[in-house]
Amino acid sequence: MKALEVKQLHQYFEKGTVNENHALKGIDLTLDPGDFVAIIGGNGAGKSTLLNSVAGSIPVTHGQVRIAGKDVTYQGVAKRAKLIARVFQDPKAGTAPRLTVEENLSLALKRGQWRNFWAGGVKRRDRDLFRQKLASLGLGLEDRLTAEIGLLSGGQRQAVTLLMATLQAPELLLLDEHTAALDPQTSATVMALTEQLVAAQHITTLMITHNMQDALRYGNRLIMLDHGQIAVDLKGPEKEGLTVADLMRLFKAQSGAELSDDAVLLS
Ligand SMILES: Nc1ncnc2c1ncn2[C@@H]1O[C@H](COP(=O)(O)OP(=O)(O)OP(=O)(O)O)[C@@H](O)[C@H]1O
Ligand SMILES: [Mg+2]
């Protein structure tokens, strides 16, 4: 079974108006279980729109989305949430700031069912699990179980968010520039954690990044979006050993246009 199948996906914004924007133009994308895909492309290429379409946070104009064999095209975001975990750029987006680290992790364990959470509080057995998982991150967070999560640094918080996202392996993990708000060193730490957590449970992952080196280094597949279309798609051995220069050459061969650094990097 395929982990994700996107077929002939088109997304229009403000269709039929003067502001009509054909943001995705017939995306075909199939992921095998355990694929870890880095997605790159210039500003406005359609990367976030693709992830939003997969997550269900914007309705699909045309096409189909299947997750783990299930047609979710017309399912809303809440229904798909059972299958999907997301981490965004903003470390504040993924956690409840006034709750403690262990309370946030408890919520993740119960998949956000607040009622069950408040009824039970944090169980000792869960606490032991959290301590062990946090220790494996290597950031000393196992000693901060009862700290309000809002008091952690951006990098620590993003690490906990990743742990929450993967505590129960989702069918799909969606990362939208999840290290972009962090300083380079913290970003590297969170990327290494990402790889560790994804590999441990073979989680199928789509990761948008503006960092070319991360895109080349992490994952078994690399996709470049350009003006709403897949311009480059390289997997396994094709991706290994690839350089930025190779990518630029491939892009030119595919799109006919010259790829400036700005088109791929944040600019
Ligand atoms: N909710 C929306 N309403 C109208 N237009 C939108 C909306 N979301 C995205 N767009 C447009 O769709 C296009 C693709 O945007 P998208 O956010 O997917 O790009 P991106 O590749 O993620 O870019 P970035 O690297 O800047 O995050 C852009 O032209 C953008 O302006
Ligand atoms: Mg984006």
Side-chain angles (χ1 to χ4, degrees), residues 9-68:
L9 176 66
H10 287 264
Q11 284 294 19
Y12 286 86
F13 292 109
E14 305 187 57
K15 201 168 194 293
T17 73
V18 287
N19 293 321
E20 180 170 299
N21 185 348
H22 196 177
L24 293 180
K25 300 171 183 150
I27 300 284
D28 284 307
L29 176 63
T30 301
L31 267 55
D32 289 318
D35 270 352
F36 181 174
V37 186
I39 302 176
I40 58 174
N43 293 123
K47 303 178 299 295
S48 295
T49 303
L50 176 60
L51 259 59
N52 287 333
S53 307
V54 170
S57 46
I58 52 173
V60 167
T61 311
H62 175 86
Q64 200 188 44
V65 179
R66 297 178 80 87
I67 299 172

Side-chain angles (χ1 to χ4, degrees), residues 22-253:
H22 196 177
L24 293 180
K25 300 171 183 150
I27 300 284
D28 284 307
L29 176 63
T30 301
L31 267 55
D32 289 318
D35 270 352
F36 181 174
V37 186
I39 302 176
I40 58 174
N43 293 123
K47 303 178 299 295
S48 295
T49 303
L50 176 60
L51 259 59
N52 287 333
S53 307
V54 170
S57 46
I58 52 173
V60 167
T61 311
H62 175 86
Q64 200 188 44
V65 179
R66 297 178 80 87
I67 299 172
K70 199 182 296 175
D71 187 346
V72 298
T73 311
Y74 300 106
Q75 283 189 359
V77 68
K79 210 146 193 218
R80 291 188 213 187
K82 292 188 200 97
L83 308 170
I84 294 171
R86 298 188 82 175
V87 182
F88 296 92
Q89 182 171 340
D90 181 1
K92 295 190 183 76
T95 49
R98 305 300 300 275
L99 297 185
T100 65
V101 170
E102 63 177 17
E103 285 167 345
N104 271 281
L105 286 162
S106 285
L107 276 176
L109 203 58
K110 297 184 173 71
R111 288 199 182 277
Q113 295 168 42
W114 290 77
R115 187 178 307 178
N116 293 355
F117 166 65
W118 292 121
V122 180
K123 299 200 176 68
R124 168 180 255 165
R125 179 168 42 94
D126 292 344
R127 184 170 290 139
D128 291 341
L129 172 75
F130 300 156
R131 190 173 285 121
Q132 171 212 326
K133 293 267 184 189
L134 286 167
S136 74
L137 301 181
L139 297 173
L141 288 169
E142 63 275 20
D143 300 326
R144 309 282 304 270
L145 277 169
T146 55
E148 264 187 27
I149 209 154
L151 299 176
L152 302 188
S153 72
Q156 290 172 330
R157 205 155 159 179
Q158 211 60 331
V160 176
T161 306
L162 266 176
L163 192 58
M164 287 168 67
T166 56
L167 210 50
Q168 290 178 298
E171 296 287 346
L172 261 185
L173 176 63
L174 306 178
L175 309 171
D176 193 343
E177 300 189 49
H178 73 302
T179 65
L182 308 174
D183 67 73
Q185 199 186 330
T186 311
S187 167
T189 305
V190 171
M191 268 314 308
L193 282 177
T194 305
E195 186 177 51
Q196 176 192 322
L197 292 169
V198 163
Q201 299 182 90
H202 305 287
I203 299 171
T204 311
T205 303
L206 285 170
M207 176 183 78
I208 297 174
T209 179
H210 276 283
N211 185 316
M212 289 275 259
Q213 302 307 334
D214 284 351
L216 292 170
R217 177 166 174 191
Y218 294 102
N220 65 324
R221 191 166 170 186
L222 186 149
I223 284 173
M224 187 193 287
L225 281 183
D226 178 48
H227 293 96
Q229 291 179 305
I230 293 178
V232 175
D233 183 355
L234 298 168
K235 203 175 168 180
E238 291 179 326
K239 181 178 183 268
E240 282 157 32
L242 203 70
T243 64
V244 174
D246 294 335
L247 267 180
M248 293 196 167
R249 193 172 36 74
L250 279 165
F251 180 81
K252 190 175 181 192

